[in-house]
């Protein structure tokens, strides 16, 4: 029981530090029978601000790698962008150096399964011709060439058996119909899936990687909302995208989703307390997606910033982990484990400093989830006297 209450106390203390809890919290755990079993394995995604960006302290990096090795099950990189350079600058020409460096670094992190996200694409495959416009899609006439490039990646790194196809539907927006161009994305996805599976049927391929819309706040313009998409996720528009992909893709081994604390189109100035209340939707979204498909659900990215202060953010992330464990998420990839000067809390302190590579407050919660609520853990009903837990 001690470990359960350790994790819960983090959320209590964090919320209390902001004046959100004014009294002790009573917690009751019903251990008569579990209502679920955790499926969750944690992971990390490396970016250009990571542990191999060229400005790091070696001792700090080694500490960070040890933490990843101890607590993460997966480690992910993109093929172009977020660290690696253009690996295919012209048709038939390859420049593997930067991606090789990233994969070689991943090979030094012991016992953590590598994942590659097949995004972005060389400029010559994009409508605008610019490799570094990462919001550009692959042009339709180059789907086969992009699939060929993905195959070359799989051949070059045979130790990698898990691939995510694209990232956040970047560039796949239908301007005429003002919606995601799921038809175009699915056509590209199928070209990649077919190529990889024909080469090696044991390769695991997942897709969609959709940013889930809707804040779930119930706020409307009449009651002070600003922007749009206040509705409870999943919105019908997202359900339509998911259903189309499920019905028209050639196959998948897992489905990828992405979620922030509130929808990007919702500009309402919420209080910290209101944002904490929105953390429940990360888990609810997993529940709804699992009602649509038997595929394992991966959170390719997840965010829960509710404040510019550390403690309420830690409380928010703890609440997110709780929800996704309870509702059956299979994988959650933390976007950048290195806690660089940005608002997304990492697993360990910034490795550009000699005193970096140590657990952050969020990292402590991450380790508790890995240790005490990881895959195979029975989950019991818990009642508390606080609405924040």
């Amino acid at each position: 029981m001690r470990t359960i209450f350790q994790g819960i106390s983090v959320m209590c203390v964090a919320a209390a530090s902001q004046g959100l809890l004014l009294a002790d919290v009573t917690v009751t755990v019903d251990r008569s029978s579990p209502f679920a079993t955790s499926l969750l394995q944690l992971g990390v995604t490396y970016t250009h601000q990571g542990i191999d960006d060229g400005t790091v302290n070696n001792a700090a990096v080694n500490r960070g790698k040890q933490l990843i090795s101890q607590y993460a099950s997966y480690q992910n990189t993109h093929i172009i962008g977020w660290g690696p350079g253009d690996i295919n600058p012209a048709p038939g020409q390859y420049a593997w150096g930067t991606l090789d460096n990233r994969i070689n670094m991943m090979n030094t992190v012991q016992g953590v399964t590598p994942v590659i996200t097949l995004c972005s694409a060389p400029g010559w495959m994009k409508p605008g011709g610019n490799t570094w416009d990462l919001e550009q899609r692959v042009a339709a006439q180059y789907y086969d060439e992009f699939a060929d490039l993905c195959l070359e990646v799989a051949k070059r790194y045979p130790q990698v058996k898990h691939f995510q196809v694209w990232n956040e539907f970047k560039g796949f927006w239908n301007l005429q119909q003002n919606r995601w161009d799921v038809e175009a994305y699915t056509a590209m996805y199928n070209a990649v899936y077919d190529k990889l599976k024909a080469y090696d049927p044991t390769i695991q391929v997942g897709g969609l990687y959709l940013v889930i819309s809707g804040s779930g706040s119930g706020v409307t313009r009449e009651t002070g909302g600003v922007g749009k998409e206040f509705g409870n996720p999943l919105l019908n528009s997202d359900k339509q995208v998911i259903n189309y992909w499920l019905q028209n893709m050639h196959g998948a081994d897992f489905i990828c989703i992405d979620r922030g604390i509130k929808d990007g189109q919702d500009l309402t100035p919420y209080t910290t307390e209101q944002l904490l209340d929105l953390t429940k939707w990360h888990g609810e979204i997993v529940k709804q997606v699992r009602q649509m498909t038997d595929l394992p659900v991966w959170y390719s990215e997840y965010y829960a910033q509710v404040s510019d202060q550390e403690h309420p953010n830690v409380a928010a992330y703890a609440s997110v982990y709780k929800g996704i464990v309870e509702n059956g998420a299979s994988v959650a990839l933390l976007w950048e484990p290195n806690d660089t000067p940005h608002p997304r809390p990492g697993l360990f302190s910034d490795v550009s400093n000699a005193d970096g590579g140590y657990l952050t407050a969020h990292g402590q919660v991450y380790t508790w989830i890995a240790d005490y609520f990881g895959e195979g853990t029975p989950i019991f009903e818990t009642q508390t006297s606080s609405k924040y837990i």
Side-chain angles (χ1 to χ4, degrees):
M1 296 296 291
R2 179 184 65 84
T3 57
I4 292 174
F5 284 103
Q6 275 186 325
I8 290 172
S9 69
V10 171
M11 291 181 279
C12 294
V13 171
S17 70
Q18 294 298 302
L20 300 177
L21 298 177
L22 302 179
D24 292 339
V25 176
T26 300
V27 181
T28 304
V29 180
D30 178 4
R31 297 183 62 89
S32 58
S33 64
F35 72 88
T37 299
S38 174
L39 304 174
L40 186 64
Q41 294 179 290
L42 296 177
V44 298
T45 292
Y46 302 112
T47 77
H48 59 289
Q49 296 178 304
I51 59 179
D52 60 349
D53 73 350
T55 62
V56 296
N57 177 276
N58 289 335
V61 167
N62 289 335
R63 287 190 290 268
K65 285 182 178 180
Q66 182 60 39
L67 290 172
I68 296 170
S69 180
Q70 186 173 356
Y71 296 107
S73 298
Y74 293 93
Q75 53 181 335
N76 172 54
T77 185
H78 293 66
I79 58 171
I80 296 176
W82 301 280
D86 190 343
I87 61 174
N88 185 201
Q93 298 181 15
Y94 298 96
W96 295 107
T98 55
L99 187 55
D100 281 351
N101 289 340
R102 173 59 59 82
I103 296 296
N104 289 338
M105 181 277 291
M106 292 167 64
N107 289 339
T108 67
V109 183
Q110 299 299 310
V112 184
T113 300
V115 180
I116 288 179
T117 297
L118 300 168
C119 186
S120 181
W124 63 271
M125 295 186 190
K126 295 180 175 181
N130 182 1
T131 297
W132 302 114
D133 185 351
L134 299 181
E135 298 298 325
Q136 282 274 310
R137 59 185 284 175
V138 178
Q141 66 266 33
Y142 291 114
Y143 290 169
D144 288 341
E145 286 81 357
F146 181 66
D148 288 337
L149 175 60
C150 295
L151 176 58
E152 292 301 318
V153 170
K155 289 179 176 179
R156 188 169 184 86
Y157 310 111
Q159 72 273 33
V160 180
K161 298 295 185 182
H162 294 76
F163 293 87
Q164 301 183 113
V165 180
W166 213 243
N167 171 305
E168 295 187 336
F169 267 63
K170 293 187 185 305
F172 285 94
W173 183 258
N174 187 318
L175 289 173
Q176 288 71 35
Q177 298 185 30
N178 194 34
R179 63 171 178 82
W180 290 119
D181 195 344
V182 63
E183 298 86 355
Y185 168 79
T186 303
M188 184 196 73
Y189 171 89
N190 284 339
V192 174
Y193 178 89
D194 291 347
K195 191 75 68 170
L196 293 180
K197 287 291 188 175
Y199 167 66
D200 181 357
T202 69
I203 285 176
Q204 303 287 290
V205 183
L208 204 65
Y209 206 143
L210 178 68
V211 180
I212 302 300
S213 303
S215 287
S217 64
V219 173
T220 66
R221 287 183 177 84
E222 289 72 25
T223 58
V226 180
K228 61 180 181 178
E229 298 189 346
F230 311 111
N232 295 346
L234 296 169
L235 298 181
N236 285 335
S237 56
D238 285 344
K239 290 180 181 178
Q240 290 169 3
V241 170
I242 295 170
N243 275 323
Y244 181 91
W245 181 74
L246 289 172
Q247 293 167 11
N248 293 277
M249 51 84 166
H250 290 174
D253 297 291
F254 52 94
I255 182 172
C256 308
I257 58 174
D258 181 336
R259 174 69 180 170
I261 195 66
K262 69 183 183 73
D263 187 81
Q265 301 298 317
D266 183 354
L267 305 180
T268 304
Y270 296 103
T271 66
T272 298
E273 183 175 2
Q274 289 170 329
L275 290 173
L276 280 168
D277 193 49
L278 299 184
T279 58
K280 62 177 180 258
W281 292 108
H282 282 77
E284 178 63 23
I285 289 165
V286 174
K287 178 181 178 180
Q288 293 180 64
V289 172
R290 293 187 73 209
Q291 291 169 347
M292 302 171 70
T293 176
D294 292 332
L295 292 173
V297 178
W298 284 34
Y299 258 115
S300 300
E301 299 177 39
Y302 59 98
Y303 303 104
Q305 292 76 243
V306 298
S307 169
D308 58 1
Q309 301 296 314
E310 181 180 58
H311 284 169
N313 285 333
V314 173
Y317 273 92
S319 181
V320 165
Y321 290 127
K322 172 180 178 291
I324 66 177
V325 165
E326 289 177 343
N327 289 284
S330 292
V331 173
L333 298 176
L334 176 66
W335 185 266
E336 186 48 62
N338 185 33
D339 194 48
T340 55
H342 56 48
R344 296 186 289 269
L347 171 60
F348 45 77
S349 52
D350 189 0
V351 296
S352 65
N353 302 317
D355 59 352
Y358 293 103
L359 280 178
T360 61
H362 166 248
Q364 185 66 77
V365 174
Y366 185 101
T367 67
W368 286 335
I369 296 298
D371 277 344
Y372 305 129
F373 297 97
E375 184 182 29
T377 304
I379 308 299
F380 298 93
E381 291 282 1
T382 302
Q383 301 294 327
T384 81
S385 60
S386 169
K387 70 177 183 178
Y388 300 109
I389 303 174

